[in-house]
């Protein structure tokens, strides 16, 4: 593709996002930035959340990972569906009843200030790492499609990308995100559908033959029943449930959008419809992965060694100009949809949870903007570090890290919801720090200690269980009603 064409696509898309930001940030105060004044239509939030949840990880990594692990990722997504039901039926009513801006305020009411700050801090670390991983993928594609042609280094690509995101989020915050996510989800889903159509056309397949080709492929194997495998169905399914609860229900990034709905009922409808759309969208991406590898075999195309580069490589070099344009729109939409909401959520959590900005006598708007800039810089640095050390599929890396960083959050909320015991608040940070350390030691030695067993995504459950046990050890009787 022509570098000028690539640049035109990126600039055009960014101008549309900037226009949305302009029209949605008229009442530019903290209430608008943090909660969108709780006036978001539930169906708009539900559709927009699809793009944010799929992100660059699904858009690039999931189709590429089909070549390594077949359709076993769908086992995880099946668990996701159960997790979303728990969020809708348990967490949404709780957060609306407490009228929260940051969901970690629950921990302050339940346990104390140190537990509250610990939960918020774990979110800040988790979200910074996860969002940076996702944005890394988009920057990598832009590097291959445009910046490499001019010899521009990768760190400049990352810097430009993250500055663009900051520009359209710094004023309107979550109110802008709800609307831009809707646009970005549309582009993302159009990209995968058109990509499938182009591949099918290149391979000379009839529409009626596509289902047969995908379903009969060895790459479409879903279930792995080997108990030693890190993709075993039972542990992957369970991990899907609890990672969804942790990374969505206990994540300020996702829940901040849900809490912009007018009431509890609308937020629950949003979760249920979103989860169905998310599942169907994942099926599309997995089907795309099978078709990508079949095309490469049929056309004798030598694929890149890294699975994350398979889809970008074929889309930009094999499928023609239209497919390349659609792919670029999709990856930019996926990256922006994930990173913009993460940046807004990080700003919200730090301002509300760490700085207690609502009670501050300082210039609240100025402080919020400085925090927004600070997290922009931090994400940039994390992406550069990740690029230097990454040697695995990003989809695996994101969830592996989540197992260690979201585990304490899951343990904290589970302990708070499942019993009425109070804890010695001053010891909670110690418990939450030791839990990931012990989990990492178990994960690193599992093959030797547990007869060849390998932890997969279920390391999250181990981490949460250790946190829960630690809280039980420092508990001291029931709280007063």
């Amino acid at each position: 593709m022509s570098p000028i064409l690539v640049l035109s696509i990126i600039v055009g898309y960014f101008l549309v996002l900037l226009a949305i930001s302009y029209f949605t940030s008229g009442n530019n105060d903290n209430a608008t930035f943090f909660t969108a004044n709780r006036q978001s239509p539930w169906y708009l939030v539900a559709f927009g959340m699809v793009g944010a949840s799929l992100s660059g990880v699904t858009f690039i990594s999931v189709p590429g990972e089909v070549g390594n692990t077949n359709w076993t990722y769908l086992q995880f997504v099946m668990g996701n569906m159960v997790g979303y039901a728990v969020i809708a039926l348990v967490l949404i009513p709780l957060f609306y009843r407490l009228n929260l801006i940051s969901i970690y305020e629950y921990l302050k009411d339940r346990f104390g200030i140190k537990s509250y700050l610990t939960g918020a801090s774990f979110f800040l670390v988790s979200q910074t790492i996860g969002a940076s991983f996702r944005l890394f993928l988009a920057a990598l594609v832009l590097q291959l499609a445009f910046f490499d042609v001019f010899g521009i280094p990768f760190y400049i690509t990352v810097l430009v990308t993250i500055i663009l995101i900051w520009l359209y989020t710094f004023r309107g915050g979550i109110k802008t995100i709800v609307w831009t996510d809707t646009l970005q989800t549309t582009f993302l889903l159009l990209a995968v559908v058109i990509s499938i159509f182009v591949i099918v056309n290149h391979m000379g397949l009839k529409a009626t033959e596509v289902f047969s080709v995908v379903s009969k492929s060895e790459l479409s194997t879903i279930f792995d029943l080997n108990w030693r495998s890190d993709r075993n169905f039972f542990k992957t399914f369970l991990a899907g449930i609890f990672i969804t609860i942790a990374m969505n229900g206990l994540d300020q990034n996702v829940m901040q959008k849900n809490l912009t709905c007018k009431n509890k009922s609308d937020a629950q409808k949003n979760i249920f419809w979103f989860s169905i759309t998310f599942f169907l969208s994942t099926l599309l991406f997995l089907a795309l992965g099978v078709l990508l590898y079949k095309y490469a075999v049929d056309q004798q195309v030598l694929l890149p060694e890294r699975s994350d580069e398979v889809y970008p490589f074929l889309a930009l070099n094999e499928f023609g100009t239209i497919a390349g344009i659609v792919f670029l729109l999709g990856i930019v939409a996926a990256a922006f949809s994930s990173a913009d909401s993460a940046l807004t959520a990080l700003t919200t959590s730090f301002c509300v949870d760490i700085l207690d900005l609502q009670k501050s006598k300082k210039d609240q708007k100025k402080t919020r903007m400085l925090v927004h800039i600070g997290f922009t810089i931090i994400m940039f640095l994390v992406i550069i570090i990740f690029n230097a050390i990454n040697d695995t599929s990003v989809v695996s890396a994101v969830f592996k890290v989540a197992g260690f960083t979201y585990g304490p959050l899951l343990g904290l909320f589970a302990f708070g919801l499942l019993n009425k015991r109070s804890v010695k608040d001053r010891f909670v940070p110690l418990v939450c720090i030791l839990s990931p350390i012990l989990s990492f030691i178990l994960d690193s030695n599992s093959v030797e200690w547990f007869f060849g067993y390998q932890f997969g995504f279920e390391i999250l459950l181990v981490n949460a269980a250790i946190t829960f046990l630690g809280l039980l050890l420092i508990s001291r009787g029931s709280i007063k009603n």
Side-chain angles (χ1 to χ4, degrees):
M1 290 182 64
S2 163
I4 300 302
L5 178 60
V6 175
L7 180 62
S8 300
I9 293 169
I10 296 171
V11 171
Y13 186 79
F14 166 69
L15 290 176
V16 172
L17 294 179
L18 204 60
I20 293 175
S21 174
Y22 176 79
F23 287 111
T24 57
S25 57
N27 181 23
N28 183 23
D29 58 14
N30 281 354
T32 301
F33 189 96
F34 296 149
T35 69
N37 305 112
R38 302 198 191 280
Q39 294 297 313
S40 299
W42 70 264
Y43 48 85
L44 201 69
V45 178
F47 187 68
M49 281 176 60
V50 174
S53 297
L54 291 172
S55 76
V57 171
T58 305
F59 192 76
I60 293 180
S61 278
V62 168
E65 188 68 12
V66 166
N68 298 327
T69 58
N70 303 329
W71 273 32
T72 55
Y73 181 67
L74 195 60
Q75 302 173 129
F76 180 77
V77 178
M78 291 174 184
N80 293 163
M81 303 298 287
V82 179
Y84 288 126
V86 174
I87 292 171
L89 298 175
V90 178
L91 295 179
I92 289 290
L94 171 67
F95 295 150
Y96 265 88
R97 177 169 57 83
L98 296 176
N99 193 31
L100 304 180
I101 294 177
S102 166
I103 62 174
Y104 308 112
E105 293 175 282
Y106 164 77
L107 298 176
K108 178 170 61 177
D109 295 335
R110 179 63 177 83
F111 299 127
I113 188 66
K114 291 189 182 299
S115 300
Y116 170 44
L117 294 176
T118 299
S121 298
F122 268 92
F123 161 74
L124 292 171
V125 173
S126 304
Q127 189 63 211
T128 300
I129 294 173
S132 299
F133 281 177
R134 296 179 178 99
L135 190 56
F136 162 78
L137 280 177
L140 185 64
V141 172
L142 294 177
Q143 185 72 28
L144 294 172
F146 177 73
F147 290 92
D148 270 347
V149 177
F150 299 100
I152 297 174
F154 182 71
Y155 74 88
I156 296 295
T157 306
V158 176
L159 185 62
V160 170
T161 303
I162 207 165
I163 287 176
L164 292 180
I165 292 170
W166 181 85
L167 284 173
Y168 76 84
T169 59
F170 82 97
R171 295 179 68 222
I174 196 65
K175 185 177 181 181
T176 296
I177 299 306
V178 168
W179 287 93
T180 56
D181 275 0
T182 301
L183 174 72
Q184 288 165 171
T185 297
T186 301
F187 276 116
L188 191 151
L189 294 179
L190 278 176
V192 68
V193 170
I194 294 175
S195 293
I196 290 175
F197 176 81
V198 170
I199 295 172
V200 169
N201 186 55
H202 270 68
M203 295 170 62
L205 295 174
K206 296 179 181 178
T208 55
E209 297 174 323
V210 176
F211 178 81
S212 178
V213 168
V214 172
S215 62
K216 292 180 180 179
S217 171
E218 292 182 358
L219 295 177
S220 297
T221 302
I222 299 174
F223 299 105
D224 183 347
L225 300 179
N226 178 5
W227 73 273
R228 289 188 177 92
S229 171
D230 63 352
R231 294 280 174 166
N232 172 268
F233 168 74
F234 298 102
K235 61 185 182 182
T236 305
F237 179 78
L238 285 174
I241 296 174
F242 290 101
I243 281 185
T244 296
I245 295 172
M247 293 187 67
N248 290 272
L250 306 181
D251 185 296
Q252 178 66 22
N253 182 4
V254 177
M255 295 309 293
Q256 188 171 358
K257 296 173 188 177
N258 289 302
L259 296 177
T260 67
C261 293
K262 296 178 182 179
N263 52 53
K264 178 191 73 173
S265 177
D266 278 3
Q268 289 176 315
K269 285 188 289 186
N270 156 53
I271 289 292
F272 283 123
W273 281 106
F274 152 71
S275 63
I276 294 170
T277 308
F278 174 75
F279 185 84
L280 296 175
S281 300
T282 302
L283 286 177
L284 277 179
F285 281 97
L286 290 169
L288 172 62
V290 173
L291 294 172
L292 288 173
Y293 282 99
K294 180 170 177 53
Y295 175 90
V297 171
D298 290 351
Q299 303 297 319
Q300 297 183 330
V301 177
L302 183 63
L303 295 176
E305 292 184 6
R306 289 170 63 174
S307 62
D308 292 335
E309 297 179 6
V310 169
Y311 184 22
F313 174 81
L314 292 175
L316 297 174
N317 297 289
E318 294 286 331
F319 298 156
T321 302
I322 294 177
I325 292 174
V326 169
F327 171 79
L328 282 175
L329 282 172
I331 186 57
V332 172
F336 280 20
S337 181
S338 175
D340 57 15
S341 58
L343 196 55
T344 302
L346 287 166
T347 301
T348 299
S349 180
F350 194 85
C351 287
V352 174
D353 300 325
I354 306 301
L355 300 181
D356 199 9
L357 191 61
Q358 294 172 290
K359 297 180 180 178
S360 174
K361 296 182 180 180
K362 298 179 181 179
D363 187 334
Q364 295 185 6
K365 183 177 177 181
K366 181 180 179 181
T367 301
R368 187 196 77 211
M369 291 183 68
L370 290 174
V371 171
H372 204 57
I373 293 171
F375 276 109
T376 303
I377 296 171
I378 291 171
M379 284 180 64
F380 167 75
L381 295 175
V382 172
I383 293 171
I384 297 304
I385 294 171
F386 182 62
N387 182 55
I389 64 176
N390 177 50
D391 61 355
T392 187
S393 169
V394 172
V395 70
S396 296
V398 167
F399 291 119
K400 194 71 171 180
V401 170
F404 296 114
T405 56
Y406 278 92
L409 279 175
L410 182 58
L412 277 167
F413 275 86
F415 190 88
L417 293 170
L418 295 178
N419 71 85
K420 294 186 176 182
R421 295 183 68 83
S422 62
V423 298
K424 297 176 182 178
D425 186 46
R426 65 184 183 277
F427 293 125
V428 170
L430 179 61
V431 169
C432 291
I433 291 172
L434 287 176
S435 297
I437 294 174
L438 293 175
S439 299
F440 180 77
I441 293 172
L442 289 173
D443 180 65
S444 301
N445 296 279
S446 65
V447 174
E448 296 179 11
W449 292 355
F450 307 120
F451 309 102
Y453 182 88
Q454 289 180 293
F455 284 109
F457 299 149
E458 79 279 9
I459 194 65
L460 170 77
L461 303 182
V462 175
N463 197 349
I466 294 173
T467 303
F468 192 100
L469 180 59
L471 294 174
L472 189 61
L473 292 174
I474 61 171
S475 62
R476 55 183 179 184
S478 298
I479 56 176
K480 296 179 180 180
N481 292 325

